[in-house]
Amino acid sequence: MSNTIYIGYYFKVQPLQPAVEILIAELGYAGFESFVETETGVTAYIQKEEWNEYILDGVWILDSEEFEISFTFEEIEQTNWNAEWEKNFSPIIVDNKCSVRAPFHDKPDTEYDIIIEPKMSFGTGHHETTHMMIQYILKNDFKDKSVLDMGCGTGVLAILTEMKGAKPIDAIDYDNWCYLNSLENVERNNCKHITVLEGDASLLLGRHYDIVIANINRNILLNDMETYVNTLNDKGVLFLSGFYNDDISIINTKCETYGLKHVETLQRNNWVALKFEK
């Protein structure tokens, strides 16, 4: 894997939403395997051996008159990831309590300080959904709670729950890059109670948690909701994000079907995070 070469596409998108979400979905079907949302659009990566010059021919949104989308692309060797992120990754601070930064950033004066090497994984804290999930973790009790971080990305949410006293914690992602990156970040932050697993909701059979965190996307959440609810202990708490304000109704209806009570809503730039209790 160390010799893998990727093609990086840098898309500039106007207006950003819902174009970025549609673009990511179409690029995923085309074979791109990792995405990073930026202030101006999205960066997408595909292995060079999977790439061809017609790779974007089936990406219909590029021809849409509703959006203005331009792009450039280049080859990136895996050994250049640190340099790439050093150029593009800035530290964030959430509610003056939690910082998420790379090792080359100065240590801020926050109660919780998470150090990650994001590489090609989701969940750096820059995206609205991760930011809101961090807010939920900061304001809720995790002491001695068993936790599932579903769609863990960089593992940043699982790491913060351990810092808040949770144990044991399972962090699961189907993306191999996310799995490997989470393993690295868990070790980097000296976490002792997090188990990182590669896979999907099928791994949850027979597992039970006090708290489930699922920051994925609307369709996966709806598809796997019954599984999440079945893993929740009595009086368990479910935190959901990865969808828009317009999706609240359908998410609420699905959760109510399984006996969950909607407790709180967070909103950030049309993105939403919801808290439910069993």
Side-chain angles (χ1 to χ4, degrees):
M1 182 172 256
S2 60
N3 294 322
T4 303
I5 296 177
Y6 278 79
I7 307 291
Y9 277 75
Y10 308 94
F11 292 93
K12 290 186 177 181
V13 181
Q14 284 288 341
L16 286 174
Q17 298 298 347
V20 166
E21 183 173 276
I22 298 169
L23 179 59
I24 288 174
E26 290 197 41
L27 291 173
Y29 283 120
F32 286 78
E33 62 180 58
S34 291
F35 310 93
V36 179
E37 293 190 38
T38 66
E39 291 182 358
T40 57
V42 64
T43 300
Y45 300 96
I46 185 170
Q47 290 189 39
K48 185 178 180 180
E49 62 185 35
E50 302 292 331
W51 177 88
N52 64 73
E53 60 183 304
Y54 308 108
I55 194 74
L56 298 182
D57 283 3
V59 181
W60 304 115
I61 192 173
L62 297 178
D63 298 320
S64 171
E65 296 181 359
E66 294 181 55
F67 311 105
E68 185 178 325
I69 303 176
S70 61
F71 65 89
T72 59
F73 65 96
E74 65 175 349
E75 282 191 17
I76 304 173
E77 293 188 26
Q78 189 174 326
T79 52
N80 290 337
W81 284 125
N82 287 348
E84 285 295 306
W85 278 101
E86 195 158 339
K87 287 189 295 184
N88 298 306
F89 179 51
S90 56
I92 66 156
I93 295 179
V94 178
D95 295 348
N96 294 314
K97 290 183 179 179
C98 177
S99 52
V100 182
R101 63 184 176 94
F104 48 81
H105 294 137
D106 294 333
K107 185 181 187 302
D109 183 21
T110 54
E111 184 176 358
Y112 305 102
D113 180 37
I114 301 174
I115 303 172
I116 62 173
E117 288 277 14
K119 298 185 179 174
M120 289 169 59
S121 302
F122 288 112
T124 61
H126 289 77
H127 194 271
E128 285 88 342
T129 58
T130 311
H131 189 105
M132 289 185 290
M133 286 303 215
I134 290 174
Q135 289 181 303
Y136 268 140
I137 295 170
L138 290 173
K139 66 195 290 191
N140 283 272
D141 177 25
F142 280 77
K143 180 71 173 174
D144 294 323
K145 306 284 189 182
S146 56
V147 173
L148 167 65
D149 179 6
M150 194 71 197
C152 60
T154 59
V156 65
L157 299 180
I159 292 166
L160 181 57
T161 65
E162 175 161 329
M163 290 181 174
K164 291 266 318 208
K167 61 181 179 181
I169 304 154
D170 286 339
I172 299 177
D173 207 298
Y174 73 91
D175 184 287
N176 182 252
W177 272 103
C178 293
Y179 166 71
L180 296 174
N181 195 205
S182 293
L183 283 173
E184 181 180 346
N185 291 328
V186 163
E187 181 177 357
R188 182 179 293 279
N189 289 274
N190 300 310
C191 295
K192 308 299 182 188
H193 303 290
I194 299 175
T195 301
V196 182
L197 301 166
E198 183 177 4
D200 57 20
S202 63
L203 293 177
L204 299 179
L205 188 63
R207 298 176 186 267
H208 295 91
Y209 307 93
D210 299 316
I211 299 173
V212 172
I213 298 168
N215 181 17
I216 311 179
N217 67 55
R218 190 192 79 161
N219 292 337
I220 292 178
L221 292 176
L222 292 172
N223 185 67
D224 294 342
M225 190 70 70
E226 184 177 6
T227 304
Y228 301 152
V229 175
N230 288 339
T231 68
L232 274 179
N233 292 328
D234 289 340
K235 299 184 179 179
V237 178
L238 175 65
F239 296 105
L240 300 176
S241 195
F243 47 90
Y244 296 106
N245 187 56
D246 292 344
D247 299 318
I248 291 178
S249 177
I250 190 171
I251 295 289
N252 272 342
T253 299
K254 190 75 167 182
C255 288
E256 289 170 1
T257 300
Y258 297 112
L260 297 178
K261 178 186 176 184
H262 177 212
V263 177
E264 187 179 2
T265 299
L266 295 181
Q267 221 169 326
R268 192 175 173 87
N269 296 332
N270 291 324
W271 292 92
V272 177
L274 304 177
K275 176 184 179 180
F276 293 90
E277 292 179 352
K278 191 170 183 180

